[in-house]
Amino acid sequence: MRSRLKDVAEHAGVSIKTVSNVVNGYPHVSPATRARVEQAIAELSYRPNLSARSLRAGRSGVVALAVPDLDNPYFAELATHVISAADQRGWTVLIDQTQGERAKERLVVSGIRSHLIDGLLFSPLALTLRDLTDREDRTPMVLLGERIGSGRAQYDHVGIDNVAAAREATLHLAGLGRRRIAAIGAQRVPSGVTARLRLKGYRQALAECGLAMDPSLIAHAPVWHRTGGAEAMAALLETGAPDAVFCFNDALALGALRALLSRGIRVPEDVMVMGFDDIEDGRFTTPTLSTVSPSKTLIAESAVDLLAARLAGTAAKPREVRIPHRLAPRESSGALIPSVS
Amino acid sequence: MRSRLKDVAEHAGVSIKTVSNVVNGYPHVSPATRARVEQAIAELSYRPNLSARSLRAGRSGVVALAVPDLDNPYFAELATHVISAADQRGWTVLIDQTQGERAKERLVVSGIRSHLIDGLLFSPLALTLRDLTDREDRTPMVLLGERIGSGRAQYDHVGIDNVAAAREATLHLAGLGRRRIAAIGAQRVPSGVTARLRLKGYRQALAECGLAMDPSLIAHAPVWHRTGGAEAMAALLETGAPDAVFCFNDALALGALRALLSRGIRVPEDVMVMGFDDIEDGRFTTPTLSTVSPSKTLIAESAVDLLAARLAGTAAKPREVRIPHRLAPRESSGALIPSVS
């Protein structure tokens, strides 16, 4: 016998209206109640008539998250947080990987999946202002990462202050007495907006400390993966004689760390290493990785909140949310804070 | 002016039929052609009438991948490969995280999202045979990971030989002269099927080598994350005096590695460390991590192929695909194979 809404309500000890709210993905249900109802649904093998309800509500309960790639632990961790935040609202998350390629990113904003989703959370790399202004699709969208263009914002946006964060990371190394501070992760436009901002912060810090800008200390990395970090570090050791290196993300830094240690170069004694992102890997390497820590939980929650307001029709003008960051000094810059006891 | 199918075909230099095949997600389009058509679609901001085509084809072009969590690098890497394999067929992948909880896993199999998806790739942890036999939903499903139950298979299944792989990993350590080989990652039922198989392989290897089974050398880890590995290693060092440790996944091994190195214990000289999964992190630690490497690409491709055959109606009986694995000896067990040059 098929279970009915009423059976689920009785089993979960809640009202029929509450079960209906859970099934329809309305946000005003506590996580505990939602969990109880979902458990009852599972135990009774209850299957709501979802096609009918989709048509009625005009909502699928699905939002898309588009990121460059989940192979990058930063985006995997961000996706986990987005899925959790969305789950609190009863939403399912569909994940798109764009590889940071403009053609794929344009497909995402063009609404090719808009029949499936209620809204879109999008972390683009190569998208241009033109791509945004050309957009015809009306699916609500929240952008993550860098602001695109400098004019009036067209979309809700969640980001961090990359220039300030990179400046602080570099000042941290300079403050510990390092004078030949290299940077790994520079990129050429158009897809290098984040790289450009972090490079700017790095340059600002050097200027503040009266350190010369030595071009041989700046290494490019077209993609920010461990392999690129290891290769860039190997090249810097040939030409630059650095005593510290600021890597524009943790994956690059983990690659750089490996390149140094495998050559018998001591970290932090000979070369200090600093990353950016605070991915879990860096808390378990030896030495542990000093890094810039943006709050990924806050980024995910803010993005989901902005999208929810957009879907509810309570948001008017596009909003800009700046998420705080902090330095996390660990062993790779000489901080003796054990991260694992 | 809105672009039409014909404009896209002209722009991409292909037939209208080919554009239609891409838009409808049919598999028999080469990746290069698909990319050209998708680029043309993006450049012309063409939007197919997808709701209509979904109704016509009875297909959404979306498949779901349900995994315990993307925070675990193994599942993040697997998801990347699944997304790539699905993309070759023009499918979008929706990702569900179950946290390995039975209630959430039952929700996944109960078809709560079946109005959205054409098929389901599912890597369960806590699901029981009963949950599968009770299933009423008809959405095609392929299971990843352990076989559930020992009877006749009800579903297509892709997995590896965990007993054999764990046995080989343990024999590798014994063959290098280690005699007090610990294991980290044992779990209690019901969610510990993989743990039970890997423990079985570990015990088989010890028995083959005439090594005693010392219970003080077996550490439990309710979840297989780095933190659990570090804690388990710390506990083993108190009580077990191991000279090697086989961790049931790489995350545990990276935690164990950190616990050893932070105490000044040398790896591999004092304690050898072996993991399982071959996640990218382990190729960049110092020492690099010896591990068991299952082919994640093959797992993803086989699962997508099985699902495609199911959707096409060309598959009859449930099929079982066993994916090969190999040992990847690295520095943490004394192999001097530099993985980063």
Side-chain angles (χ1 to χ4, degrees):
Chain A
M1 197 194 75
R2 290 289 295 270
S3 301
R4 293 164 308 147
L5 204 62
K6 190 160 161 288
D7 302 326
V8 175
E10 277 174 14
H11 196 81
V14 300
S15 69
I16 290 179
K17 176 70 187 156
T18 300
V19 177
S20 165
N21 285 345
V22 170
V23 168
N24 287 296
Y26 294 132
H28 304 297
V29 181
S30 76
T33 303
R34 183 179 302 284
R36 208 157 71 234
V37 172
E38 289 188 342
Q39 175 138 14
I41 288 174
E43 286 174 9
L44 301 178
S45 300
Y46 170 71
R47 287 189 306 160
N49 185 346
L50 288 163
S51 299
R53 82 128 166 131
S54 291
L55 291 175
R56 251 197 331 272
R59 293 280 168 81
S60 64
V62 176
V63 298
L65 169 69
V67 294
D69 67 315
L70 291 175
D71 251 357
N72 180 331
Y74 173 77
F75 289 115
E77 291 187 12
L78 182 65
T80 304
H81 292 298
V82 166
I83 290 170
S84 297
D87 191 52
Q88 294 286 314
R89 294 179 179 272
W91 297 350
T92 301
V93 178
L94 178 155
I95 296 190
D96 261 325
Q97 287 193 130
T98 62
Q99 262 81 39
E101 291 166 18
R102 183 160 171 234
K104 288 199 177 171
E105 296 194 340
R106 285 180 57 134
L107 267 185
V108 168
V109 293
S110 74
I112 194 162
R113 313 216 196 282
S114 53
H115 63 304
L116 294 170
I117 59 172
D118 299 335
L120 173 62
L121 304 171
F122 188 15
S123 182
L125 283 184
L127 210 65
T128 67
L129 187 57
R130 173 79 188 276
D131 298 329
L132 285 181
T133 48
D134 283 357
R135 184 174 191 244
E136 289 183 4
D137 185 53
R138 302 262 173 176
T139 311
M141 175 166 78
V142 174
L143 295 173
L144 309 179
E146 299 342 306
R147 262 294 296 282
I148 295 171
S150 52
R152 199 158 58 85
Q154 295 170 286
Y155 293 98
D156 294 324
H157 174 245
V158 180
I160 61 166
D161 187 339
N162 273 297
V163 178
R167 178 180 157 273
E168 289 162 34
T170 312
L171 287 177
H172 170 68
L173 298 169
L176 292 162
R178 299 298 155 127
R179 289 296 168 261
R180 291 195 54 78
I181 304 170
I184 294 181
Q187 292 179 330
R188 312 194 196 284
V189 282
S191 67
V193 185
T194 306
R196 194 164 49 73
L197 296 173
R198 295 187 185 168
L199 189 62
K200 186 175 171 186
Y202 160 80
R203 286 173 193 268
Q204 278 187 4
L206 293 188
E208 277 178 56
C209 302
L211 295 172
M213 265 295 309
D214 180 350
S216 76
L217 287 176
I218 296 178
H220 282 71
V223 284
W224 287 359
H225 286 178
R226 294 177 184 85
T227 311
E231 288 166 358
M233 191 72 238
L236 278 174
L237 289 171
E238 296 287 322
T239 59
D243 57 14
V245 59
F246 168 44
C247 302
F248 291 177
N249 81 353
D250 282 353
L252 290 170
L254 293 171
L257 195 60
R258 172 64 191 163
L260 290 163
L261 297 177
S262 67
R263 284 167 177 76
I265 298 170
R266 294 168 308 159
V267 178
E269 295 84 346
D270 303 330
V271 178
M272 288 186 179
V273 178
M274 182 99 199
F276 199 117
D277 281 347
D278 195 13
I279 60 175
E280 200 189 53
D281 322 31
R283 297 198 283 272
F284 287 85
T285 50
T286 301
T288 51
L289 183 64
S290 298
T291 190
V292 174
S293 180
S295 170
K296 279 166 286 218
T297 318
L298 265 185
I299 292 173
E301 287 171 358
S302 302
V304 166
D305 287 350
L306 286 174
L307 189 56
R310 216 29 85 192
L311 292 179
T314 56
K317 279 191 297 189
R319 287 183 292 176
E320 176 105 19
V321 177
R322 186 59 65 90
I323 301 295
H325 61 266
R326 62 179 183 81
L327 284 194
R330 299 203 184 101
E331 294 166 2
S332 71
S333 65
L336 294 174
I337 303 165
S339 59
V340 187
S341 63
Chain B
M1 197 195 76
R2 293 288 296 271
S3 301
R4 293 163 308 148
L5 204 63
K6 189 160 161 288
D7 302 328
V8 175
E10 277 175 12
H11 197 82
V14 300
S15 69
I16 290 180
K17 176 70 187 155
T18 300
V19 177
S20 164
N21 285 345
V22 169
V23 167
N24 287 296
Y26 295 131
H28 304 297
V29 181
S30 77
T33 303
R34 184 180 301 283
R36 207 157 71 233
V37 172
E38 288 188 342
Q39 175 137 14
I41 288 174
E43 284 175 10
L44 300 177
S45 300
Y46 170 70
R47 287 189 305 162
N49 186 346
L50 288 163
S51 301
R53 80 128 167 133
S54 290
L55 292 175
R56 249 192 338 267
R59 292 280 169 82
S60 64
V62 178
V63 298
L65 169 69
V67 294
D69 67 315
L70 291 175
D71 250 357
N72 180 330
Y74 172 77
F75 289 115
E77 291 186 13
L78 182 65
T80 305
H81 292 300
V82 166
I83 290 170
S84 298
D87 191 52
Q88 295 286 313
R89 294 178 180 271
W91 298 350
T92 301
V93 177
L94 178 156
I95 296 190
D96 261 324
Q97 286 193 128
T98 63
Q99 261 81 40
E101 291 166 18
R102 184 161 170 232
K104 289 200 177 172
E105 295 194 343
R106 287 180 57 139
L107 267 184
V108 167
V109 293
S110 74
I112 194 161
R113 312 214 196 283
S114 54
H115 63 303
L116 294 170
I117 59 173
D118 299 335
L120 172 62
L121 304 170
F122 189 13
S123 181
L125 283 185
L127 210 65
T128 66
L129 187 58
R130 172 81 187 276
D131 298 330
L132 285 180
T133 47
D134 283 357
R135 185 176 192 244
E136 290 183 2
D137 185 52
R138 303 260 173 179
T139 310
M141 176 167 76
V142 174
L143 295 173
L144 310 179
E146 297 344 304
R147 260 297 294 281
I148 296 171
S150 52
R152 198 157 58 86
Q154 296 169 285
Y155 293 98
D156 293 325
H157 174 245
V158 180
I160 61 166
D161 187 338
N162 273 295
V163 178
R167 177 180 158 275
E168 288 163 33
T170 311
L171 288 177
H172 171 67
L173 298 169
L176 292 162
R178 300 299 156 126
R179 288 297 168 260
R180 291 196 53 77
I181 304 171
I184 294 181
Q187 292 179 329
R188 313 196 193 286
V189 283
S191 66
V193 186
T194 305
R196 193 164 49 74
L197 297 173
R198 294 187 186 169
L199 189 62
K200 185 175 172 186
Y202 160 81
R203 287 174 191 269
Q204 278 187 3
L206 292 189
E208 278 178 55
C209 302
L211 294 173
M213 264 297 309
D214 179 350
S216 75
L217 287 176
I218 296 178
H220 282 71
V223 284
W224 287 359
H225 286 176
R226 294 176 184 87
T227 311
E231 288 166 358
M233 192 71 238
L236 278 175
L237 289 171
E238 295 287 322
T239 59
D243 58 13
V245 59
F246 168 43
C247 302
F248 291 177
N249 81 352
D250 281 353
L252 290 169
L254 293 171
L257 195 59
R258 171 65 191 163
L260 290 163
L261 298 177
S262 67
R263 284 167 177 75
I265 298 169
R266 294 169 307 161
V267 179
E269 295 84 347
D270 304 327
V271 178
M272 288 186 178
V273 178
M274 183 98 197
F276 199 117
D277 281 348
D278 195 13
I279 61 174
E280 200 191 51
D281 322 32
R283 298 198 282 272
F284 286 85
T285 50
T286 302
T288 50
L289 183 65
S290 298
T291 190
V292 175
S293 181
S295 170
K296 280 166 288 222
T297 318
L298 264 186
I299 292 173
E301 287 171 358
S302 302
V304 166
D305 286 350
L306 286 174
L307 189 56
R310 219 24 89 189
L311 292 179
T314 55
K317 278 192 295 187
R319 287 184 293 176
E320 176 106 19
V321 177
R322 187 58 66 92
I323 302 296
H325 62 266
R326 60 178 185 83
L327 284 194
R330 300 205 183 101
E331 294 165 1
S332 70
S333 64
L336 295 174
I337 303 164
S339 59
V340 187
S341 63

